[in-house]
Amino acid sequence: MEHMTGKKTDFSARRADLPRLAGQTATFHGAVHAVRELGGVSFLSLRTRTGVVQCVCPPEMELPPEEATVKVTGFIRQEERAPGGYEIAAERIQVLSVPAEAMPVPISKYKLKLNLDTELSLRPLVLRNLRKRSIFKLQEGVVRGFREYLTQEDFTEIHTPKIVH
């Protein structure tokens, strides 16, 4: 009832919060990037807006398909082998939505190996791939650096109107 009380009742942690949350239980929202089953344990890579978080799931837990959006609640622990050095020991996975059909491209692969026409026609999907997405993160960092420097030097940022034909 956030709109009634003004208090947020459903907090979703971010990847950057993992070190601070180590030893606690937290909830993450995201899309299932990849699922790997190894022996008696399953790994779920959760793609959040701030990066990928590794979730360790017990063998009896039913895992959602790739690209399903989920809410994962679990215990945060330090793990050197996990991306970012931390992982979630999943206690509960709530499926929010499941894709109607399989993706036309394997988003979780490191290299997609698509020709340019295919990549551009599937751009919204292709940008879910971590490698393709990282290009925009680098570009954003460079632009932010330029903007911060010019702001410190008392430059004025101007957005001029553009006429597109």
Side-chain angles (χ1 to χ4, degrees), residues 63 75 83 91 95 104:
L63 299 176
F75 184 76
E91 297 165 0
V95 177

Side-chain angles (χ1 to χ4, degrees), residues 4-130:
M4 299 287 281
T5 63
K7 294 180 182 176
K8 191 169 186 173
T9 56
D10 186 17
F11 171 74
S12 179
R14 298 178 323 143
R15 187 170 183 244
D17 296 331
L18 286 172
R20 183 177 55 82
L21 295 171
Q24 300 177 45
T25 299
T27 300
F28 284 78
H29 296 236
V32 176
H33 187 67
V35 176
R36 296 184 328 263
E37 295 186 31
L38 303 171
V41 68
S42 298
F43 294 95
L44 183 142
S45 296
L46 183 67
R47 188 177 64 246
T48 68
R49 66 184 185 92
T50 58
V52 174
V53 178
Q54 177 174 289
C55 304
V56 180
C57 305
E60 66 275 1
M61 186 176 280
E62 187 176 334
L63 299 176
E66 287 187 7
E67 294 306 312
T69 55
V70 296
K71 188 159 113 174
V72 178
T73 302
F75 184 76
I76 312 300
R77 61 183 178 213
Q78 192 168 7
E79 173 56 61
E80 295 175 5
R81 297 169 289 183
Y86 293 88
E87 68 184 8
I88 303 171
E91 297 165 0
R92 187 169 157 249
I93 297 177
Q94 179 184 356
V95 177
L96 303 174
S97 69
V98 177
E101 55 188 51
M103 293 298 226
V105 293
I107 300 300
S108 61
K109 298 263 187 207
Y110 179 70
K111 285 190 176 184
L112 294 180
K113 299 179 183 175
L114 301 173
N115 65 40
L116 185 59
D117 290 341
T118 305
E119 184 172 328
L120 292 176
S121 68
L122 298 172
R123 197 64 171 163
L125 299 178
V126 169
L127 289 178
R128 295 179 186 183
N129 176 272
L130 299 178

